[in-house]
Amino acid sequence: MDEGVRQSLNAIQALYNEWQMAGDTQKRTLAPRLTQEISDAQWEIDDLQKAFDSQRVVSPSRREENHQEILQFRRILKNIEDGMSQGYANKSAASFTNSSRMNNNSSPSSGFSEGGGRSGMHEQQQQQMMAEQDTALDRLAETVGNIGYMSREIGVELEDQNQLLDEFDYEVDDTHSRLSNANKYVDRIIDGVSTNKSWCVIIVLALILVGVIILSVAIPA
């Protein structure tokens, strides 16, 4: 299973390298795919960790190796997510700088006609709107990625809680079984005592009867 995780991480790394080298339009196309690949890899790592944890007989050194391997996988994904977030932040800063420059240069110079000035202002406004839309899309992609990460963390926590509840149910059932066996043992003891009491009474009455017969025979009429 860990080999499958490694292959997934290699594919994500290659896609991330492609995302880094891509232009703005291609980045917007690759970002959702890259986010989904990271989400799927997170689930695969969670499944791998569960498989490691379920191993009953394993040496401490092997357990530590498994733990370090999981940490390495998670660190790779975290670095890629941080790289994407930093790329969004840098692009937002660049978009803000370009917008400021366009605003500063929005007034037409005296050498242009009034029609040319209006056309230039209209083009600059369109560029500014496109830059703002790009920034909004980048922030949306980052938000979706964060929500996906939070959902995975919540899913892992719920699975851990379910495992604890299952273990608690097992302990309750085991305790109930022990109490039931103890009650049966006590019932058997009580039944035995009651039976012994009945035999004691019968023996005592029999002895009394024998004594009365002996006395009646021994005493002459």
Side-chain angles (χ1 to χ4, degrees):
M1 183 180 292
D2 54 344
E3 186 63 28
V5 174
R6 292 181 186 276
Q7 292 178 359
S8 298
L9 292 178
N10 291 335
I12 291 173
Q13 186 65 53
L15 185 61
Y16 174 67
N17 294 337
E18 182 180 356
W19 178 85
Q20 285 182 310
M21 301 299 296
D24 293 342
T25 302
Q26 191 175 2
K27 277 187 176 181
R28 288 196 298 271
T29 303
L30 293 175
R33 177 184 169 190
L34 183 57
T35 302
Q36 183 62 44
E37 293 288 341
I38 292 174
S39 178
D40 294 341
Q42 286 282 5
W43 286 112
E44 292 180 6
I45 294 174
D46 293 340
D47 292 339
L48 180 61
Q49 184 172 6
K50 291 178 184 178
F52 286 158
D53 294 340
S54 63
Q55 294 177 353
R56 298 297 182 184
V57 181
V58 61
S59 62
S61 60
R62 181 56 181 171
R63 188 180 298 275
E64 180 63 22
E65 290 178 2
N66 293 340
H67 177 68
Q68 293 299 327
E69 189 175 20
I70 292 295
L71 289 180
Q72 180 184 5
F73 291 160
R74 295 190 185 280
R75 193 178 297 114
I76 292 173
L77 290 183
K78 185 66 167 57
N79 291 337
I80 293 176
E81 289 180 336
D82 292 342
M84 292 181 65
S85 299
Q86 185 63 34
Y88 291 140
N90 293 338
K91 187 176 183 302
S92 298
S95 298
F96 178 78
T97 302
N98 292 334
S99 299
S100 300
R101 290 176 179 176
M102 286 189 293
N103 290 332
N104 292 333
N105 297 328
S106 60
S107 300
S109 59
S110 57
F112 294 99
S113 63
E114 183 178 356
R118 289 180 179 178
S119 177
M121 290 179 62
H122 182 68
E123 182 178 357
Q124 290 173 357
Q125 289 177 354
Q126 287 183 339
Q127 292 178 354
Q128 183 177 358
M129 291 177 61
M130 291 178 62
E132 292 175 353
Q133 290 176 356
D134 290 342
T135 302
L137 290 174
D138 292 339
R139 290 178 179 174
L140 178 60
E142 183 179 3
T143 301
V144 171
N146 293 333
I147 292 175
Y149 176 77
M150 292 174 62
S151 65
R152 291 191 299 272
E153 292 296 323
I154 293 173
V156 172
E157 184 65 25
L158 288 176
E159 291 178 357
D160 292 339
Q161 294 295 330
N162 288 333
Q163 184 177 0
L164 292 175
L165 289 176
D166 292 339
E167 293 176 356
F168 179 75
D169 289 340
Y170 174 79
E171 294 294 335
V172 170
D173 293 338
D174 184 63
T175 303
H176 182 270
S177 177
R178 292 181 181 180
L179 288 175
S180 178
N181 293 333
N183 288 333
K184 291 179 180 179
Y185 180 72
V186 171
D187 292 338
R188 286 198 299 269
I189 293 176
I190 293 175
D191 293 339
V193 171
S194 300
T195 304
N196 291 334
K197 284 182 178 180
S198 299
W199 281 107
C200 290
V201 172
I202 293 172
I203 293 172
V204 170
L205 291 176
L207 292 175
I208 293 173
L209 179 59
V210 171
V212 170
I213 293 173
I214 293 173
L215 289 175
S216 64
V217 173
I219 298 175

